[in-house]
Amino acid sequence: MEKSESTLNNSLVFAVNGKKFEVSTIHPSTTLLEFLRSHTPFKGAKLSCGEGGCGACVVLLSKYNPVLNQVDDFTVSSCLTLLCSINGCSVTTTEGLGNTKDGFHPIHERFSGFHASQCGFCTPGMCMSLFSALVNAEKTPRPTPPPGFSKLEVSEAERAIAGNLCRCTGYRPIADVCKSFAADIDMEDLGFNSFWRKGDSKEVKINSLPFYNPSNEICTFPEFLKNEARSALLLDSRRYSWYSPVSIEELQRLLGSVEDGNGSRVKVVVGNTGMSYYKELESFDKYIDLRCIPELTMIRRDDTGMIIGATVTISKAIEALREGNIIWKKISDHMEKVASGFVRNSASLGGNLVMAQRNHFPSDIATVLLAVGSLVNLMNSLKSEEITMEEFLRRTELDSKSILVSVKIPDWDRIMSLFAGPKMKLLFETYRAAPRPLGNALPYLNAALMAKISRCASSNGMVVSDCRFAFGAYGTKHAIRATKVEEFLTGKVLSVDVLYEAVKLLRSIVVPDDDTSYPTYRSSLAAGFLFEFFSHLVEGNAESPNGYVNGYSTLMSPARHLDHGKVSTLLTSGKQEVELNKQYHPVGEPIAKSGAVIQASGEAVYVDDIPSPTNCLHGAFIFSTKPLARVKGIKLKPKSVADGVNAVISFKDIPGENLGIKTGFGPEPLFADDFTQCTGQYIALVVADTQKHADMAADLAVVDYDMENLEPPILSVEEAVRKSSFFEVPSFFQPKQVGDFSKGMAEADHKILSAEIKLGSQYYFYMETQTALAVPDEDNSIVVYSSIQAPEYAQSTISRCLGIPEHNVRVITRRVGGGFGGKAMKAVPVATACALAAYNLRRPVRMYMNRKTDMKTTGGRHPMEVTYSVGFKEDGKITALHLDILINAGIGVDISPIIPLFMVGAIKKYDWGAFSFDIKVCRTNHSSKSAMRGPGEVQGTFISEAVIEHVASVLSMDVDSVRSKNLHTFNSLDFFYKGAAGELKEYTLPSIWDKLAASSSFKERTDMIKQFNMCNKWRKRGISRVPIVHEVLLQSNPGKVSILGDGSVAVEVGGIELGQGLWTKVKQMTAFSLSAIKCDGMGDFLEKIRIIQADTLSLIQGGLTAGSTTSECSCEAVRICCNILVERLTPIKEKLQEQMGSVEWGILILERYVNKSSYSSSTCEILKFDSELIESSSSSLSSRARVSQYLTLATSTRQAVNLSASSYYVPDSSSMQYLNYGAAVEVNLLTGQTTILQSDIIYDCGQSLNPAVDLGQIEGAFVQGIGFFMLEEYLSNSDGLVIPEGTWTYKIPTVDTIPRQFNVEIMNSGHHKKRLLSSKASGEPPLLLAVSVHCATRAAIREARKQLLRWKGLNESDSTFQLEVPATMPVVKKLCGLENVEIYLQSLLS
């Protein structure tokens, strides 16, 4: 069919939240997210990773099918979805669900009430993922749910946000929000929230939830758009450079004309999801959309199999396959682990296969379809042909004229019925080993195995009649058939020796290419999968296969030996125990986090949400890829200049000092000068008309390096030691040694000498990357909006860089989309660079750093190498510990000199008898490292536990008993923590230790785990109980409280809201402190209080929001202000009280404003002013009478009162330091993959200022710690350049990697009277408890190693080993035995 002029649409038409948009012209590379954020008021969808890997940009896309008269609703990543591809569609963002003006959606309200939003940057995407699940559940034929619930099931609800990342909450409360809508939810399974209290009945709980009525749900596809959809208009290709061929012939002509044309760059698209993996460095000139070609969009089933068109989305293919036979269902189950739902909804089956064939993408789909003998239909200009998947993958890369039309998946049900006898059975299974069980992570290896088996006539064994084994994603060009293994097994009777030979043969075939990470691990996975596939047929005297259904084997009997990611349920009910304290109401109440509901609705404003001022430019850094080099010049590609580049700014353009940040330890430059000192160092800033153009120009910039006659860079701490390259640690930050190490070693019965530990780095992975907006202002001044934890530092640095006074620099920060220390010092050069460009160009300049640049330049956590020597008694009591620690600080000093102090504070949690150390802060040519949540303390905690584990291993003692033996007494605690231990009653760790053992059933579970490990060969469990002692340092903080004329209150504090609930606690403290005036009408006083954004010219000396104590310190500063105001108001209140009886808050403040007016106004003006306030404040007759009475008294009590009070809280020496305590326990190990079955945490919060906020901090910190200890690899190459560039290569925890059961108890000890209402910090200390996961994994590995030694016939006593950090799947598998399958089979043979 050819397109006529009448079928062409002159405008791109679509709807967003019910509003019609017509776009007459736009570049075809424009994404939906770009349009939403720059051309609409809807900023809820956020840019975080830019590659469909995080879910922050998720929106609901709705398409209308006029033939069926139905709407298809599904989520998409708006950062990947091209705007031209949504012609005639409707988009719903979180603002479309509800908002402040029209009322919030129950999703928004439940996110707030379940305390499921902290920084809030990920929350809009989470809301849309859940909303999509609700909308689609209602389309199912399930029974009508009870009122207030949906048709969604709990298992679906949990998985609704499986592809969404969150760095703050730890996911548990988010999962509760999702489950709260499920019809089959047990209300007892829902965690702590603000809707009901412990002990409330089921009926009360249901009625307390914000009511959800599916029949009142919003319309996702407006009626006015259905007419557009019915007309099926195609975009005018001449206007949009967007071509939509409607036949294969037309497509071939288009492709032919491109190849014969003028060299214009053309992109063929369906869902554009390939862009997430293969980044576009330059724009394409033309786009060809394949979705209008019928042959490519169909799904057809016949007697021979199922044919799926190449442009059918993976999600639609999954739906179709799920309706088929068991093999098709297993294929669909495997395909559900490809990417995430909002990517599968757009990604096409054919696109995935073409990427595998042409670009060697590690495809799961190609591997699975290869194993089942799928056929591929190809068409080029000469002919149409059907070839096998194997041939398709082996061919040379497809040329631009070749078209993948469809894939045919055979119907093995029919094949077996036609060609196999009744005794022939078919086995089929798919496998993948990946960091995340539910997908959204590339596998280390995937496999699909199929075999026909039958009973041997002459023996009791099973004969393999035929088999097909496919393996892929292990570091080779494409998936392969293991044909030699297939040939070896065909015709053989399965036995242990046959399987052993097959496994050995397979290892020689599955060999990763050079430079593939963990090559032996990947080969071992292949061996393990083959073993699992056949093991039930060869173990136990070859028991006859049972459990057959319709000729297929169901789950392997007696159980699956290895878990390769098949999860039936994600989470079980956890307990959140909190002790509520009403003594200081509303302080201590678990009120919802301030701003959480507008974060969910997308109305909360982050820096990048601020509309761009007129003539705004955008910046992107050019950074160094060499560790030490002379910079001779920078060249931009000519096309970059044509694409809107305005300027390139370097150190030569700085009017003041070349200063990027200055801490108390020293400065760092903004840009490299003539020499670059490390990889990731900023060299220049490209300024362009859009962020996309700036990023592209920076990516394509060519830096001319010269390394001739330069000293080699220092790229290891050992080299730094050899060259004496260190940063000095000031004496007042140098930790103190404890006791006499020599004496302690002399008392020891045993010694471990010079054992070594290495610890890697960790990336912050805040959801909002570094960002700033600088706007030139009058009188040579500048205003900078920055996402920063330390606005004061940015103000000072910008002032010196621009050579202007600090009073000409205003830095404003409202909220930060996650910080974790990475928005402290590392945000300063970003703000400074924007300010410099804006100052020089006299135009606004903003920057939103892309994830790749952010990861390669921000440094992260400090790596280190540790050598320890320890002496200990026969009973496990340690007498002396010495540590030699080399900290890799990178090239800049940043805050690195404080790391030794923090490390030692964490290490001292045990009574080491005597403790000595030599810690060197090494200056290397790596990027500067900075503070990250729990800086130094996380590493220190791990070192402590590694020493304890090693001692227990040498003594063959239970690790828990060694820990208990070395816990502090109060005397030893006071000896180690001089000045911080406080009083005896404050030392709560022993009681926490015992309480945790009881509440978690530690002894019983330990015995159960021993029994489990005896009964299971291929799964081992471990359990660990770990304490922490966290030394906290309070810091000075300013505050300002202003009471306005209507009685509302504006509060400013030095602390920044990062998601940690600082604003919430400050509001509570303000309400409590002002309530001391004891006026009537203060019942809902929290609603009168607003915390306003940080402004460096309004509130000075704001300092740094870090160290977990800023909330406390800000609250104390505010309390001082409120006390001043109460003192000022009390005399006025008392006079009014004498004359009026009771005094309402509004009347009291009105009195103050009348008094103020009396100095400059006549009595008539005062009365007019008063009458206006009366009208606005109250309409009741009694109130009017009281105010009238008050007016007659107004002139008799006139007294000037300042209702704005400022303070600067400075902690006194007696409360400056204190200790936090906590402990945790869990875990289960499955082959190389670790599953956390249960975590139990008891945490001493002192007297919690807000248990809901503190609970969120505890869980979020713990899960971030899991990332450090178990998942996150922040590796660099030989030049020190960071390797990971985004979500494809850096894996933070997800909802499927958190503890299955997550129990947290906040203990309100209340023994801390010298501190703010006896409170304690909760932001960082719980992160240290995640070391328990690592220790429990070590315990499970120890059992696996003992078993391995038994199989080898060796002594089991050798159980000493070091478990790396992070303990990823390859690391764990290596320690369990990369050849454990072969060793086991050999043991059976012998």
Side-chain angles (χ1 to χ4, degrees), residues 1071-1135:
F1072 163 70
S1073 300
L1074 288 180
S1075 68
I1077 196 70
K1078 296 182 179 176
C1079 286
D1080 293 344
M1082 297 185 74
D1084 58 348
F1085 201 63
L1086 279 171
E1087 298 303 313
K1088 293 182 179 292
I1089 301 166
R1090 181 179 182 86
I1091 317 300
I1092 61 177
Q1093 62 195 15
D1095 182 332
T1096 56
L1097 292 187
S1098 177
L1099 191 70
I1100 65 169
Q1101 295 178 284
L1104 172 64
T1105 300
S1108 303
T1109 60
T1110 312
S1111 293
E1112 287 178 70
C1113 298
S1114 295
C1115 284
E1116 185 60 29
V1118 164
R1119 186 165 73 151
I1120 294 170
C1121 295
C1122 291
N1123 290 344
I1124 293 170
L1125 292 172
V1126 168
E1127 185 178 349
R1128 291 175 185 171
L1129 287 169
T1130 297
I1132 301 173
K1133 186 238 180 182
E1134 289 174 348
K1135 286 183 180 180

Side-chain angles (χ1 to χ4, degrees), residues 181-436:
F181 287 91
D184 58 342
I185 184 63
D186 180 347
M187 298 299 287
E188 294 297 319
D189 287 348
L190 296 178
F192 188 68
N193 60 75
S194 62
F195 300 122
W196 62 77
R197 289 290 176 262
K198 187 177 181 180
D200 285 349
S201 67
K202 178 180 178 181
E203 185 179 5
V204 168
K205 291 178 178 178
I206 291 174
N207 292 333
S208 299
L209 282 173
F211 189 75
Y212 173 67
N213 186 354
S215 61
N216 290 343
E217 199 53 274
I218 66 167
C219 175
T220 59
F221 201 94
E223 284 296 324
F224 69 77
L225 202 57
K226 289 184 178 179
N227 293 329
E228 302 282 348
R230 289 189 185 98
S231 62
L233 294 181
L234 301 175
L235 287 180
D236 185 348
S237 58
R238 290 166 295 186
R239 174 179 292 190
Y240 294 96
S241 298
W242 182 272
Y243 298 79
S244 300
V246 295
S247 67
I248 290 179
E249 293 75 20
E250 185 184 357
L251 172 62
Q252 288 178 325
R253 283 199 298 274
L254 271 173
L255 294 174
S257 66
V258 166
E259 196 163 275
D260 301 332
N262 56 7
S264 59
R265 301 183 76 242
V266 175
K267 183 175 184 179
V268 176
V269 295
V270 179
N272 197 46
T273 55
M275 187 186 79
S276 68
Y277 194 74
Y278 300 103
K279 304 296 187 292
E280 293 180 6
L281 297 180
E282 294 183 82
S283 294
F284 289 87
D285 302 301
K286 297 177 182 178
Y287 286 71
I288 300 176
D289 181 3
L290 303 183
R291 295 173 304 156
C292 297
I293 303 173
E295 294 93 329
L296 273 60
T297 60
M298 57 80 190
I299 299 177
R300 189 175 73 247
R301 182 175 177 179
D302 58 26
D303 290 343
T304 60
M306 183 181 293
I307 301 172
I308 302 177
T311 64
V312 172
T313 66
I314 296 173
S315 291
K316 290 294 184 184
I318 290 171
E319 288 178 19
L321 289 166
R322 191 169 286 138
E323 300 300 317
N325 58 49
I326 291 177
I327 284 186
W328 288 356
K329 287 176 181 176
K330 288 192 174 187
I331 293 173
S332 72
D333 288 343
H334 192 105
M335 287 168 67
E336 276 201 303
K337 296 178 176 64
V338 174
S340 53
F342 46 78
V343 172
R344 293 193 298 269
N345 291 337
S346 301
S348 66
L349 185 73
N352 184 283
L353 294 175
V354 169
M355 285 200 306
Q357 200 276 346
R358 186 180 288 163
N359 305 107
H360 309 144
F361 177 73
S363 166
D364 279 89
I365 295 174
T367 303
V368 174
L369 296 186
L370 174 62
V372 296
S374 300
L375 300 174
V376 174
N377 185 355
L378 288 176
M379 185 172 289
N380 56 38
S381 55
L382 300 176
K383 60 179 180 178
S384 171
E385 59 178 337
E386 190 172 65
I387 60 175
T388 65
M389 180 64 69
E390 187 173 10
E391 184 181 349
F392 170 72
L393 294 173
R394 281 182 174 175
R395 280 191 177 183
T396 56
E397 296 174 6
L398 293 179
D399 60 37
S400 60
K401 291 185 178 180
S402 296
I403 303 164
L404 173 60
V405 178
S406 62
V407 177
K408 182 175 183 179
I409 306 173
D411 185 344
W412 282 94
D413 212 350
R414 179 174 173 78
I415 292 172
M416 291 295 289
S417 66
L418 291 176
F419 303 108
K423 295 183 179 180
M424 184 78 71
K425 306 298 180 184
L426 187 69
L427 300 179
F428 177 72
E429 191 54 75
T430 71
Y431 302 85
R432 80 192 306 267
R436 293 172 178 160

